Amino acid sequence: MPRIEPAQRRALLAALLTLCVFIAALWVLDDSLRHLHLRDIWTPLRTLTTAEIAAAIGWAAASYFALTLYDRLSLDIAGRPLPYPRVATISFIACALAHSLGLSSVSGGSVRLRAYSAEGLSAADIAVVQGLFSLTFLIGVGTLLSGSLLIEPADAARLLHIPAPLAQGLGALLALALVGYALAASLRDQPLRLRHWQIPTPRPTQVLSQFAVSTLDIACSAAALYVLLPGSVEIGYPAFLGIYVIAITLGAISNVPGGLGVFESALMLLLPTTNPAPMLGAILLFRLVYYIGPFIIALLLLGWREMHAVRKPLMRATSLLRRSLESVVPQALAIAVFAAGAVLLFSGSLPAIGQRIDWLAEALPLGVIEASHLAGSALGVGLLILARGLYRRLEAAWWLTLLLLGAGIAASLLKGVDFEEAILLAIIMAVLALSHERFYRKAPLTEAKLSPLWLLNVALVIAAAIWLGFVAFRKVEYAHQLWWQFAFDANAPRMLRASLVAVVIASAYGLWSLLGSVHTEPEAPGDEDLQAARACLGSGSDSLPNLVLLGDKQILFSEQRDAFIMYRRSGRSWIALGDPVGNPARHAELAWRFRELCDEHGGWCVFYQATAEKLPLYLDLGLSLSKLGEEARVPLKAFSLEGKPRAELRTAQRKGQREGLSFSVIGTDEVVTRMDELEKISRAWLSHKSTAEKSFSVGRFDRRYLANFPCAVAQRDGHIVAFANLWKSGDGAELSVDLMRYGADAPKGVMDYLFVELLLWGQRNGYSWFNLGMAPLSGLEHHPLAPLWHRMGLLVHRYGESFYNFDGLRRYKEKYLPVWRPRYLASPGGLALPRVMLDTGALIAGGVKEMVWK
């Protein structure tokens, strides 16, 4: 069984904590509803008037309107205002998803990240907007809760089981904290600075707007539930508002999707009533009005934007917004499919409507109904699982989900003529069918193993379905014979069998998903591939492509096999080393093929050590550019040891000569015959440096690899004491070194001597440039308006100097008076950049641990 990493352990711990909260909530609900029948819940809902339901819908709409003002206000405070129609649509979709899924900073935040990025906001701007959104909500919670405690202290004390003076004191403390925030924000002119981050502070009018829109939002959503409460709940609106605020807060911090169970349990415990059944029915209807209804509208809005049968003027007005929202279609459909699976499971736990069963009894044999009931629950679990594949845009998941939705429609009709359920599944199926182009990744379904959080959500839905079934059939006494009772009216036995099927399927898949399978490294290129790659090295002005002969990277060839990209996978990052190599006419096509390959497998496309000449190509690929540093190139035609700036180099040459050193370049045949001597030096160097071999962007001591290149050697008394293998560019203009090693008996300064002699040798042999390699984090801008990556790089440079000698490396190369040339990282950028850098560092070092210790 694979070892559980710390990050996985934390994820499992968080998932278990959420599961415990959910189980506790179900236990509270079960205790409250122990003596109720399902009809006790549904019957009181029939007494609601059309006006009351319409009022609930109106208050819910007003709440969502206020939520759109959250975004508008947050953008204004952040100094990035946008037209309200665009903001309203983005905000509505983000809030509808967040309310249904929970984890608003993740679900709603991802929608804002994608949509607002298309509007020109940076990741830092969007993070500020999301933070201000959450702050505004907390202001509303605090304002209404403090008001409730101060206005109705007697009711609050009775419901919360605390003394009335304590309730008033808590309300006063909350009010003072809010007033303190308002004063501090209004009086501060400068933005709040946290290291290199700047968080804008709102103006006095914006502070007042925060209080107004947040209290309006929560007050309206509370009113949507309040108008649905039965008459048996005797409580005034101010006191109810405080309880509602407590309930939604508990639901939000529980991390349970939509606060399911936690919100209901809190209300059941705090609201005064002698008959909890009508109140639970009101809460369920409120969830339909405030959660499910807006979610379906948001889903239809996204589906509508996938269709192109729209009037041209409207298309022009909404084209930018549509492009910004298209990227969230797979995630929205994944959520819809997950909800469809939950509907099938819940339906399998509830009794069928008697009249409809009578219709089926006259037309179908009992076996069809029983099989359809089991199939409905099995299909529900399947949809919960496939939603993960849709989230990752897998084409195989798209096809299989369409098949399961079609089967689910048939099962819904055959098990109880549940046409409402069938219509919902048909709508989701139609929207999914229209969005085929969004699911283009060719990776197998095994690539979409469920994460612990997703497994938790599946488990919560199944647990809720089973609990709902036991509540619905509470009056039925359990007996072993129930499992084997088959009749048209045997609803409880069907529920038990369907629950068992769901648990068995989910458990089997969950166990397989958690155990997982280890990703094997793709096979290294064969001799034929390496020969084809060697043939491509004959063009280009860069010497870095020689690393392909190390054989540790995968090779993507052009169709004509006259150009290639070398790459490796590390985590989610697919990292290509340098620019495309070979025939320049193939570079653009090859880069796009690599980009599509990464996308199809759910990976991040990365080009490491890209040159400035190819930056337009990487921008066309939709990648962001970050400067890695600068490499030093010495112009050999003008190189000389004369003059004061070269005094240190003359000293190094003369010292080596006094130590009895001699310089020469040995050919590949001699390299092979003296390989044992070179290996002994390499081992001594690794032992002296207490380090391990690196890989990917630098060579390692490998006999087959070194046999491809001549070596520059420093000898004393006929024995090699230091060596460096030589690269040359395809056009023969650039000379460089890769592996540089010296033995235990080498005199101090031997590498300086070797470099000076090598530069002179390159000059005599007609080379134009000598490449000394890159100085990481060199050449980054210090200007306050420089990109965030530059500021982060300078921070690493400053505080990482004790671990990695950044300045010393640059100073060492500066003495050769080089010309500095930038190297770049082309990647998805944004919030993915830190993970890409970690993946790249781990790939070069040989692992995350080796990045620190070796």
Side-chain angles (χ1 to χ4, degrees), residues 632-645:
R633 302 174 79 223
V634 181
L636 293 179
K637 291 182 179 180
F639 181 74
S640 170
L641 295 181
E642 302 299 324
K644 185 176 180 180

Side-chain angles (χ1 to χ4, degrees), residues 671-690:
V671 168
V672 172
T673 59
R674 305 185 71 172
M675 194 68 74
D676 291 340
E677 193 174 355
L678 299 179
E679 185 173 15
K680 180 180 178 181
I681 293 172
S682 178
R683 288 178 177 174
W685 184 86
L686 291 172
S687 176
H688 174 69
K689 295 292 185 179
S690 300

Side-chain angles (χ1 to χ4, degrees), residues 532-554:
R534 186 195 299 273
C536 298
L537 296 177
S539 61
S541 59
D542 195 1
S543 57
L544 184 66
N546 286 282
L547 269 173
V548 71
L549 300 179
L550 189 59
D552 65 336
K553 287 168 276 293
Q554 280 59 60

Side-chain angles (χ1 to χ4, degrees), residues 183-265:
L183 290 175
S186 300
L187 296 177
R188 185 179 178 89
D189 295 330
Q190 299 297 322
L192 184 65
R193 298 181 183 274
L194 296 176
R195 292 184 178 271
H196 294 284
W197 288 82
Q198 290 190 7
I199 302 175
T201 53
R203 299 187 301 272
T205 55
Q206 293 172 333
V207 172
L208 292 176
S209 298
Q210 283 184 299
F211 279 85
V213 298
S214 58
T215 52
L216 176 65
D217 157 43
I218 300 173
C220 289
S221 62
L225 176 57
Y226 186 75
V227 298
L228 297 175
L229 291 179
S232 58
V233 181
E234 299 178 355
I235 186 174
Y237 177 72
F240 170 76
L241 191 56
I243 292 174
Y244 177 82
V245 168
I246 294 173
I248 62 172
T249 304
L250 291 174
I253 65 176
S254 69
N255 278 343
V256 177
L260 184 64
V262 180
F263 176 74
E264 287 82 356
S265 298

Side-chain angles (χ1 to χ4, degrees), residues 689-743:
K689 295 292 185 179
S690 300
T691 189
E693 294 279 19
K694 308 303 181 189
S695 64
F696 186 65
S697 65
V698 292
R700 63 173 182 270
F701 192 92
D702 181 274
R703 287 174 174 261
R704 290 186 60 185
Y705 170 65
L706 287 179
N708 292 290
F709 309 103
C711 280
V713 298
Q715 301 185 73
R716 186 165 63 178
D717 299 329
H719 298 287
I720 297 176
V721 295
F723 73 91
N725 68 306
L726 302 183
W727 289 344
K728 69 175 182 177
S729 61
D731 60 5
E734 183 177 275
L735 180 68
S736 184
V737 296
D738 176 31
L739 210 64
M740 297 172 286
R741 305 283 163 91
Y742 56 85

Side-chain angles (χ1 to χ4, degrees), residues 148-161:
S148 177
L149 293 173
L150 291 171
I151 296 172
E152 298 283 356
D155 285 344
R158 175 172 53 85
L159 296 173
L160 298 176
H161 305 287

Side-chain angles (χ1 to χ4, degrees), residues 125-459:
D125 292 332
I126 299 169
V128 170
V129 170
Q130 181 68 34
L132 289 171
F133 185 99
S134 301
L135 174 62
T136 304
F137 172 76
L138 291 176
I139 289 172
V141 168
T143 301
L144 292 175
L145 185 57
S146 63
S148 177
L149 293 173
L150 291 171
I151 296 172
E152 298 283 356
D155 285 344
R158 175 172 53 85
L159 296 173
L160 298 176
H161 305 287
I162 58 175
L166 178 58
Q168 283 184 308
L170 292 175
L173 285 176
L174 270 176
L176 286 174
L178 293 168
V179 171
Y181 161 76
L183 290 175
S186 300
L187 296 177
R188 185 179 178 89
D189 295 330
Q190 299 297 322
L192 184 65
R193 298 181 183 274
L194 296 176
R195 292 184 178 271
H196 294 284
W197 288 82
Q198 290 190 7
I199 302 175
T201 53
R203 299 187 301 272
T205 55
Q206 293 172 333
V207 172
L208 292 176
S209 298
Q210 283 184 299
F211 279 85
V213 298
S214 58
T215 52
L216 176 65
D217 157 43
I218 300 173
C220 289
S221 62
L225 176 57
Y226 186 75
V227 298
L228 297 175
L229 291 179
S232 58
V233 181
E234 299 178 355
I235 186 174
Y237 177 72
F240 170 76
L241 191 56
I243 292 174
Y244 177 82
V245 168
I246 294 173
I248 62 172
T249 304
L250 291 174
I253 65 176
S254 69
N255 278 343
V256 177
L260 184 64
V262 180
F263 176 74
E264 287 82 356
S265 298
L267 290 176
M268 298 289 287
L269 284 174
L270 297 176
L271 284 175
T273 180
T274 57
N275 187 4
M279 188 174 68
L280 182 59
I283 296 172
L284 294 177
L285 183 57
F286 168 74
R287 278 201 174 273
L288 177 64
V289 169
Y290 195 77
Y291 289 84
I292 299 176
F295 173 76
I296 293 175
I297 294 173
L299 176 64
L300 292 176
L301 178 61
L302 289 174
W304 174 77
R305 294 184 181 280
E306 285 294 299
M307 299 186 299
H308 301 288
V310 186
R311 295 179 182 271
K312 290 185 178 180
L314 186 59
M315 287 182 67
R316 286 195 299 269
T318 60
S319 59
L320 179 60
L321 180 60
R322 182 173 63 251
R323 288 195 299 270
S324 67
L325 294 176
E326 280 177 347
S327 58
V328 303
V329 169
Q331 290 87 337
L333 285 173
I335 296 166
V337 169
F338 191 91
V343 168
L344 283 172
L345 285 169
F346 293 158
S347 175
S349 297
L350 296 173
I353 299 175
Q355 185 179 7
R356 298 182 185 181
I357 283 291
D358 293 339
W359 297 343
L360 290 176
E362 297 175 0
L364 297 174
L366 178 61
V368 173
I369 298 175
E370 295 286 353
S372 300
H373 201 95
L374 293 177
S377 295
L379 292 168
V381 177
L383 291 175
L384 297 181
I385 294 171
L386 282 174
R388 173 69 171 175
L390 293 178
Y391 190 86
R392 299 192 63 184
R393 308 186 186 193
L394 302 184
E395 186 183 34
W398 182 85
W399 284 107
L400 192 54
T401 301
L402 284 180
L403 180 64
L404 263 61
L405 285 172
I409 293 171
S412 299
L413 296 174
L414 292 176
K415 68 184 178 66
V417 196
D418 294 328
F419 61 85
E420 303 93 343
E421 181 180 311
I423 291 173
L424 175 63
L425 297 180
I427 292 173
I428 296 174
M429 185 178 180
V431 176
L432 185 65
L434 291 170
S435 307
H436 185 195
E437 67 276 8
R438 303 295 168 202
F439 303 91
Y440 49 81
R441 290 179 175 165
K442 306 296 182 182
L445 282 173
T446 53
E447 289 289 321
K449 291 183 183 297
L450 301 189
S451 64
L453 182 59
W454 204 284
L455 280 174
L456 171 65
N457 289 332
V458 172

